[in-house]
Amino acid sequence: MKKIAKVISTPDFTKAAIRNLKSLPEYQYESVQIPEDIKNIGENKKYFIRTYGCQGNLRDSEVISGILNELKYTKTDDVNLADIIILNTCCVRENAEKKVFGEIGSLKNLKHNNPSLLIGVCGCMVQQEHIVNKILNDYQQVDIIFGTHNIHQLPLLIKEAIISNQRICNVLSNQGNIYEDLPSCRESTFKAFVNIMYGCNKFCTYCIVPYTRGQERSRKSKDILDEIKYLKENGYKEVTLLGQNVNAYGKDINDLSFAELMEQVALIGIERIRFTTSHPFDFSDELIDVIAKYPNIMKHIQLPVQSGDDKILKLMGRRYTRQQYLDLVTKIKERIPNVSLTTDIIVGFPNESLEAFENTLSLCEIVKYDSAFTFIYSPRENTPAAKMQDNVSLETKKERFNRLTSLIAKYELEKYKTYENKIVKVLVEGPSKKNEDILSGYTEDMKLVNFKGDKSSIGQIVNVKIIKAKTYTLEGEQVV
Ligand code: 5AD
Ligand code: SF4
């Protein structure tokens, strides 16, 4: 029998696109509200969370874990044992959405065998009205739909779903508030993601994120610094400061600039500081100087270029030219010796001619990235680019994608080869994915190292001698 759906609110793209730069975010300093009658609802029950997409989603999943822990649920890594399943979704490309629908489909049987199982879908994907409608209409097994702006309401939604025995949908379009002090259960005991801001105001024409994550909202620097001090006191070795465009930090609330914030973070003395992602448009000279000055700020910069062609950059709304990007790269390389530069590139954007694509290749030849995330353009409903005529055939896109990835791999291997016989510092994460007897971790400049070493060093920073470079990894041996 079909359950009734109680729709409290659905997303609206027009509202999500509004930017009201005069309105400051509201800060809520209270822990999540747990209704009295469900405070022990998770006793003897298990939760399972699957996270798709970026580090922002991973961090949100840690908060969802924290909330479910407060309701006394315990975590399981086996979806078959779960009493509540949460899929935290991504919609940056079509592939990500296809995977989620595949997974929701595969949960139908579990729900059939266990009708009291709760299935929740949240994250960026459900910030789109057409997706919410599709789930409500075609995926009866989903009980709870909530968005990126109201994770803190999860206990209330669980209560509604259980008590009213209805399907619940509550997705807000642009709440704009910042919730501090939410419970969270971090994945790692030695490296942590720390949000410094939410949302994006850049509206690159291909990108769905400004609509799904809302207006740029910075956390107060004091809250960020307190969180990092707490992490340091609790033995964390590495923090990654997160934002869609961290360089815009503080501009909305008249707080520190991103460069000033980085300096304050460096002074806390945590061993490794990373940040992601930087839009080249806002990358200040002060920031370059701060990165250069502090040894505990890692010399790795993810600097998405997206295209090396002026016409395409303009169509993408990226706000810089090829030359301006290259000038920034030159400046960074001059002031930060041995900096590792990585990037994101989209191929097959509408109107990308062969010449335009080759401009991207030639830019990569000049910059010689340490590595790059490369994507085939994927039209996202309601974005300006989706309305452009996509005149590049899929075959051409694939062919260009292959040319680009092999060029990137060539420079990557060249760079990785320079590490052979050198000793690097690695933060040991655990056994490698492929071989339990081998450890793995990242260098200061974000290279994955698989090495023979001592398991007791998990969570520590150790010296590893690199023996062999492969295209995407380094192999080595721990040394004292
Ligand atoms: N199609 C392909 N790639 C995209 N990205 C964002 N939107 C799209 C899209 N519609 C890529 C960009 C961005 C990264 C996170 O994902 O390269 O930097
Ligand atoms: Fe998307 Fe551009 Fe914002 Fe990055 S800066 S999240 S690509 S709109």
Side-chain angles (χ1 to χ4, degrees):
M1 201 185 71
K2 281 191 176 181
K3 271 200 215 171
I4 299 169
K6 177 170 173 185
V7 178
I8 302 169
S9 172
T10 53
D12 175 336
F13 258 75
T14 320
K15 278 195 207 148
I18 294 172
R19 293 295 181 267
N20 183 353
L21 296 174
K22 286 198 194 109
S23 77
L24 294 178
E26 267 179 43
Y27 293 85
Q28 315 248 330
Y29 291 86
E30 60 196 41
S31 221
V32 64
Q33 285 175 13
I34 310 269
E36 193 54 31
D37 47 352
I38 62 155
K39 71 177 202 271
N40 296 323
I41 194 127
E43 251 170 21
N44 303 318
K45 291 189 186 153
K46 294 192 164 46
Y47 73 88
F48 173 92
I49 304 181
R50 173 100 63 213
T51 310
Y52 298 84
C54 66
Q55 291 101 329
N57 263 15
L58 288 172
R59 180 70 192 122
D60 283 349
S61 287
E62 292 179 340
V63 172
I64 295 169
S65 277
I67 293 175
L68 293 173
N69 280 342
E70 296 238 321
L71 291 171
K72 314 265 188 325
Y73 286 95
T74 48
K75 186 176 178 177
T76 174
D77 291 329
D78 182 350
V79 70
N80 297 299
L81 299 180
D83 300 280
I84 178 164
I85 298 171
I86 304 282
L87 305 182
N88 189 4
T89 64
C90 166
C91 58
V92 78
R93 285 170 295 277
E94 194 189 355
N95 263 351
E97 289 189 342
K98 278 192 179 153
K99 277 193 214 155
V100 172
F101 277 122
E103 173 129 26
I104 303 178
S106 75
L107 296 178
K108 197 171 176 178
N109 269 346
L110 277 184
K111 180 83 181 180
H112 182 76
N113 296 337
N114 174 12
S116 65
L117 169 68
L118 283 181
I119 300 179
V121 182
C122 65
C124 284
M125 205 169 137
V126 293
Q127 290 293 140
Q128 308 171 90
E129 193 173 1
H130 68 280
I131 298 285
V132 166
N133 290 337
K134 186 166 162 176
I135 297 177
L136 287 175
N137 293 332
D138 303 343
Y139 294 87
Q140 286 292 318
Q141 62 269 44
V142 174
D143 302 283
I144 303 172
I145 304 174
F146 61 106
T148 55
H149 300 298
N150 62 339
I151 291 174
H152 61 287
Q153 290 180 338
L154 182 57
L156 299 172
L157 300 175
I158 292 177
K159 174 178 165 170
E160 287 251 20
I162 293 177
I163 292 178
S164 67
N165 196 27
Q166 290 177 343
R167 305 169 68 208
I168 305 292
C169 170
N170 192 4
V171 180
L172 310 173
S173 293
N174 197 349
Q175 177 89 347
N177 289 345
I178 290 189
Y179 296 89
E180 295 291 347
D181 299 336
L182 292 181
S184 106
C185 181
R186 292 189 187 270
E187 284 286 315
S188 164
T189 51
F190 48 86
K191 56 183 249 185
F193 294 124
V194 174
N195 283 315
I196 63 164
M197 61 183 301
Y198 305 94
C200 180
N201 289 353
K202 284 282 182 292
F203 288 102
C204 301
T205 57
Y206 50 82
C207 188
I208 193 84
V209 171
Y211 308 90
T212 64
R213 290 271 168 190
Q215 174 158 332
E216 278 174 2
R217 283 113 54 215
S218 300
R219 290 179 69 198
K220 289 183 182 162
S221 58
K222 180 176 182 317
D223 294 329
I224 298 167
L225 295 169
D226 284 350
E227 183 174 344
I228 295 170
K229 281 178 202 152
Y230 173 85
L231 290 166
K232 179 169 189 301
E233 280 157 16
N234 283 278
Y236 279 79
K237 301 276 186 298
E238 179 178 300
V239 288
T240 304
L241 309 187
L242 294 183
Q244 298 304 331
N245 170 24
V246 288
N247 300 328
Y249 173 77
K251 291 184 181 171
D252 55 323
I253 57 166
N254 213 354
D255 201 315
L256 302 181
S257 69
F258 182 54
E260 289 163 342
L261 177 74
M262 283 290 274
E263 179 150 43
Q264 294 306 311
V265 175
L267 291 170
I268 291 175
I270 201 152
E271 277 156 274
R272 288 183 165 197
I273 302 156
R274 304 187 183 282
F275 60 96
T276 192
T277 295
S278 289
H279 193 298
F281 175 79
D282 294 311
F283 210 106
S284 69
D285 285 6
E286 291 75 24
L287 179 60
I288 302 177
D289 290 341
V290 169
I291 299 171
K293 181 170 170 193
Y294 290 94
N296 58 344
I297 300 183
M298 299 297 98
K299 310 299 181 236
H300 163 236
I301 300 173
Q302 163 71 7
L303 197 64
V305 67
Q306 314 296 2
S307 165
D309 180 77
D310 281 341
K311 203 169 136 225
I312 297 296
L313 285 171
K314 192 148 199 214
L315 285 175
M316 288 177 161
R318 288 293 290 177
R319 309 176 190 212
Y320 52 82
T321 61
R322 168 191 172 93
Q323 196 52 51
Q324 284 167 331
Y325 183 91
L326 286 172
D327 289 347
L328 176 62
V329 167
T330 307
K331 203 158 49 174
I332 290 174
K333 285 187 174 178
E334 272 169 13
R335 296 208 218 159
I336 312 174
N338 296 325
V339 67
S340 153
L341 283 177
T342 57
T343 198
D344 289 351
I345 301 173
I346 298 176
V347 296
F349 192 77
N351 294 299
E352 186 190 64
S353 61
L354 179 61
E355 188 194 347
F357 170 66
E358 287 181 343
N359 282 337
T360 298
L361 291 182
S362 75
L363 180 133
C364 294
E365 277 165 356
I366 298 169
V367 180
K368 298 189 177 58
Y369 292 106
D370 287 53
S371 75
F373 297 105
T374 47
F375 310 103
I376 289 181
Y377 167 67
S378 167
R380 305 287 64 216
E381 210 167 307
N382 289 310
T383 58
K387 297 181 188 89
M388 297 175 193
Q389 199 200 343
D390 190 354
N391 49 4
V392 187
S393 73
L394 186 59
E395 198 188 342
T396 306
K397 288 181 201 235
K398 284 186 179 164
E399 187 201 312
R400 288 181 189 171
F401 180 80
N402 291 340
R403 275 182 75 187
L404 177 66
T405 47
S406 39
L407 183 75
I408 296 286
K410 179 183 126 188
Y411 288 119
E412 188 160 347
L413 184 60
E414 255 174 38
K415 180 74 188 258
Y416 279 42
K417 283 266 175 216
T418 64
Y419 287 73
E420 284 183 350
N421 299 315
K422 288 196 178 140
I423 292 176
V424 292
K425 290 203 179 307
V426 175
L427 173 55
V428 190
E429 305 227 329
S432 91
K433 280 191 188 134
K434 288 189 190 144
N435 182 348
E436 276 284 311
D437 299 327
I438 296 281
L439 293 173
S440 78
Y442 287 88
T443 61
E444 296 197 324
D445 59 357
M446 207 58 184
K447 309 220 161 12
L448 181 62
V449 185
N450 292 319
F451 63 100
K452 284 191 204 124
D454 183 353
K455 279 199 173 145
S456 66
S457 57
I458 293 173
Q460 306 296 321
I461 295 171
V462 299
N463 289 326
V464 175
K465 180 165 183 194
I466 301 304
I467 294 165
K468 191 171 170 23
K470 295 186 163 179
T471 309
Y472 305 109
T473 51
L474 298 169
E475 285 179 1
E477 255 173 24
Q478 189 171 342
V479 289
V480 234

